């Protein structure tokens, strides 16, 4: 029906850059390992390798073609082995439009398709077209939605047309649903979110991972030896150097997240949520409403003190580039007092229960929780002190902090039933409030250890569908009668 077509040549640049990025470490190793006094000869092998990588990127772009035929999106690709993917329209659950830096320069977008079998574990979409015009992407999006609707109601009155235009391949026969703006994240909230996200750990991990690739090439021993000599007589210098390095990584991480989540906006149509974000690389994530399985309200200790929370969606699949093991970010950062207002505004069947509906864990379970956290920390602290030979008061301080931490875990726990919604609240470091409807729950598991049997308490674990697997919510050490109430609620039709 629609002609086979290659991507815009700008996709070739993207393919070459990806090939070079994936091979940058071997290229640098070849350069450092092959260094000679003749600078020209040092670049010969890396240059050949770079040319090979660029050639592979060109072949990959040349062999990628896409078209639409018989209510299917068809994609042929592959570097050495030809792959053919035929994706029926009825299996396409969502379509996402992303506008990266290179695409924006040439007024092109990236178009991704998600199917019912897509999941966050795959780390890639079912199919992606890396370079096409925004009009073409929107027309394709509208055409797929129109044909899905026709197939759903048993209509098949499509008139096949032949298009010779290089710019328009998809007829404008379907009016896109009206998008209603629900929420736009303020700039100062984006800055607070970026600053309190713990991104310093991501930057530190990346630096360590990158540095280990050159441990045999670069003179790390000489550098560390010079640093050791410089700080051996000056402890203050060592503290200042570490503090400066952490501060730089924190600033870099904060700036990265600020750019990534800039202009974060939530839109809603009749059947979908649409999330848009990004200052440099603009992303548009589509989430079908019927695939939302649960809502999680997460508060880290720092954000809890500041009065903020993060709201995530558990979805049965979704855009894998933006879905992590912790779910889809609906509100990256929102004042805790505003969570209930926004949930009631967006959802009609989800809400945080009132305080008098929450059931707390019994007081006799407090010591069991505290004992478990304290014993583990005490053993770690003892080993640490034994090897480092620090003062023994370290154990006392860590033990007291762990006692307080265990009590915090016990005090945070809660469960509540409100009509057909179950709410679970639990924490390890961050406090999580899970909101799930009864028909979204796949199973409920009740467990009890020998020690819990003596205290007459039980655990309850709720499983719900998410991608190709399942996610769980767990609260521990509750009264047997409270667990029985939840179980009987779940069994009622």
């Amino acid at each position: 029906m629609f002609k086979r077509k290659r991507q815009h040549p700008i996709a070739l640049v993207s393919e070459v850059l990806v090939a070079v990025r994936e091979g940058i470490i071997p290229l640098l190793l070849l350069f450092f390992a092959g260094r000679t006094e003749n600078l020209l000869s040092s670049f010969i092998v890396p240059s050949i390798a770079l040319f090979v990588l660029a050639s592979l990127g060109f072949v990959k772009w040349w062999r990628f073609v896409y078209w639409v035929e018989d209510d299917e999106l068809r994609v042929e690709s592959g570097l050495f082995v030809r792959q053919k993917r035929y994706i029926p329209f009825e299996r396409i659950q969502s379509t996402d439009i992303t506008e990266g830096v290179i695409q924006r320069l040439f007024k092109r977008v990236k178009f991704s398709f998600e199917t019912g079998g897509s999941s966050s574990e795959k780390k890639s979409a079912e199919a992606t077209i890396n370079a096409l015009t925004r009009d073409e992407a929107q027309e394709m999006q509208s055409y797929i939605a129109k044909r899905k609707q026709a197939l759903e109601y048993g209509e098949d009155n499509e008139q096949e047309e032949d298009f010779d235009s290089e710019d328009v391949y998809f007829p404008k026969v379907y009016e896109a649903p009206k998008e209603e703006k629900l929420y736009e994240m303020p700039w100062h909230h984006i800055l607070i979110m970026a600053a309190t996200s713990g991104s310093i750990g991501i930057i530190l991990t990346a630096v360590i991972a990158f540095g280990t690739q050159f441990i045999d090439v670069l003179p790390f021993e000489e550098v560390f030896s010079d640093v050791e000599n410089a700080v051996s007589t000056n402890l203050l210098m060592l503290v200042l150097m570490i503090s400066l390095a952490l501060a730089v990584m924190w600033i870099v991480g904060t700036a990265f997240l600020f750019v990534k989540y800039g202009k974060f906006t939530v839109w809603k149509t009749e059947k979908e949520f649409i999330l848009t974000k990004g200052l440099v690389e603009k992303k548009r994530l589509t989430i079908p409403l019927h695939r939302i399985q649960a809502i999680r309200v997460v508060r880290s200790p720092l954000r809890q003190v500041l009065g903020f929370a993060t709201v995530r969606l558990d979805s049965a699949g979704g855009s894998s580039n933006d879905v992590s093991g912790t779910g889809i970010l609906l509100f990256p950062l929102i004042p805790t007092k505003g969570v209930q207002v926004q949930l009631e505004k967006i959802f009609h069947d989800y809400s945080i229960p009132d305080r008098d509906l929450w059931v707390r864990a019994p007081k006799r379970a407090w010591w069991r929780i505290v004992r478990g956290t304290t014993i583990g920390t005490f053993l770690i602290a003892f080993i640490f002190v034994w090897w480092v030979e620090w003062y023994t008061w370290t154990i006392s301080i860590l033990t007291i902090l762990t006692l307080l931490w265990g009590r915090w875990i016990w005090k945070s726990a809660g469960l509540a039933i409100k009509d057909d919604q179950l709410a679970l609240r639990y924490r390890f470091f961050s406090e999580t409030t899970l909101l799930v409807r009864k028909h979204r729950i796949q199973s409920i598991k009740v467990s009890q250890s020998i020690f819990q049997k003596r205290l007459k308490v039980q655990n309850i674990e709720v499983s719900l569908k998410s991608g190709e697997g399942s996610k769980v919510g767990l609260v521990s050490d509750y009264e047997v009668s409270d667990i029985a109430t939840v179980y009987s609620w779940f069994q009622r039709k």
Side-chain angles (χ1 to χ4, degrees), residues 167-460:
D167 297 324
V168 181
Y169 278 78
F170 301 91
K172 297 181 179 180
V173 296
Y174 177 81
E175 185 177 354
K178 184 179 180 181
E179 298 177 1
E180 176 189 1
K181 181 190 286 190
L182 298 179
Y183 177 79
E184 184 172 359
M185 192 171 175
W187 288 106
H188 64 283
H189 285 179
I190 297 175
L191 182 60
I192 295 173
M193 182 275 298
T196 60
S197 64
S199 56
I200 186 173
I202 300 175
I203 302 298
L204 181 60
T205 302
V207 170
I208 294 174
F210 186 79
T212 55
Q213 302 295 326
F214 304 96
I215 194 169
D216 296 326
V217 179
L218 297 178
F220 283 111
E221 293 184 1
E222 297 179 8
V223 174
F224 288 144
S225 178
D226 293 339
V227 173
E228 183 179 4
N229 293 333
V231 302
S232 58
T233 57
N234 193 338
L235 182 60
L236 179 60
M237 181 181 293
L238 175 60
V239 173
L240 291 176
M241 290 178 62
I242 294 176
S243 301
L244 179 61
L246 293 176
V248 170
M249 288 187 285
W250 175 74
I251 293 173
V252 172
T254 299
F256 171 78
L257 290 178
F258 185 84
V259 171
K260 180 179 179 180
Y261 288 97
K263 295 184 178 180
F264 188 97
T265 309
V266 180
W267 307 79
K268 186 180 180 181
T269 66
E270 183 180 354
K271 297 182 179 180
E272 297 173 326
F273 275 125
I274 299 172
L275 309 180
T276 58
K277 64 179 182 179
L279 295 180
V280 178
E281 182 180 9
K282 295 184 177 180
K283 290 189 177 183
R284 179 184 176 93
L285 172 63
T286 304
I287 310 164
L289 293 175
H290 70 275
R291 302 186 74 184
I292 296 175
Q293 305 297 306
I295 298 174
R296 296 176 188 263
V297 182
V298 183
R299 297 194 298 170
S300 66
L302 178 57
R303 291 180 178 177
Q304 188 171 353
V305 172
L306 296 176
F308 289 97
T310 298
V311 179
R312 297 179 179 272
L313 301 178
D314 286 340
S315 175
S319 182
S320 53
N321 290 331
D322 287 271
V323 180
S324 66
T326 53
I328 303 171
L329 278 173
L330 178 64
F331 301 123
L333 192 76
I334 186 172
T336 304
K337 295 181 180 179
V339 173
Q340 180 77 310
V341 175
Q342 291 297 332
L343 290 182
E344 291 177 352
K345 179 181 177 181
I346 297 175
F347 301 97
H348 301 295
D349 50 357
Y350 287 96
S351 64
I352 299 177
D354 296 331
R355 181 175 299 181
D356 57 345
L357 293 178
W358 286 97
V359 179
R360 304 295 179 183
K363 291 184 178 180
R364 63 179 181 275
W366 172 76
W367 174 243
R368 184 183 128 75
I369 297 173
V370 170
R371 183 179 58 188
T373 56
T374 305
I375 292 175
T377 305
F378 181 81
L379 292 175
I380 295 174
F382 181 80
I383 295 173
F384 183 75
V385 171
W386 177 270
W387 283 98
V388 181
E389 298 181 356
W390 278 10
Y391 296 106
T392 54
W393 50 261
T394 307
I395 298 179
S396 302
I397 293 177
L398 290 176
T399 301
I400 294 173
L401 292 176
T402 305
L403 285 170
L404 297 175
W405 175 36
R407 179 174 174 80
W408 202 16
I409 293 175
W410 168 77
K411 194 173 182 179
S412 299
L415 63 85
I417 296 174
K418 183 179 180 181
D419 299 327
D420 284 340
Q421 176 193 274
L422 175 65
L424 302 179
R425 180 172 289 162
Y426 50 91
R427 82 155 60 240
F428 185 69
F429 289 111
S430 297
E431 179 193 86
T432 300
T433 301
L434 173 67
L435 307 176
V436 58
R437 306 297 298 179
K438 183 191 294 187
H439 68 280
R440 296 296 187 183
I441 299 175
Q442 286 191 318
S443 64
I444 286 183
K445 178 182 177 182
V446 178
S447 60
Q448 185 181 50
S449 68
I450 298 175
F451 302 103
Q452 288 178 314
K453 192 172 183 179
R454 294 175 54 189
L455 292 175
K456 297 181 181 180
V457 294
Q458 292 178 330
N459 307 326
I460 186 168

Side-chain angles (χ1 to χ4, degrees), residues 2 6 28 53 75 110 216 219 268 308 355 443 466 470 474:
F2 298 118
R6 287 188 178 87
L28 291 176
L53 290 175
V75 178
K110 181 170 70 173
D216 296 326
K268 186 180 180 181
F308 289 97
R355 181 175 299 181
S443 64
S466 180
S470 62
L474 173 67

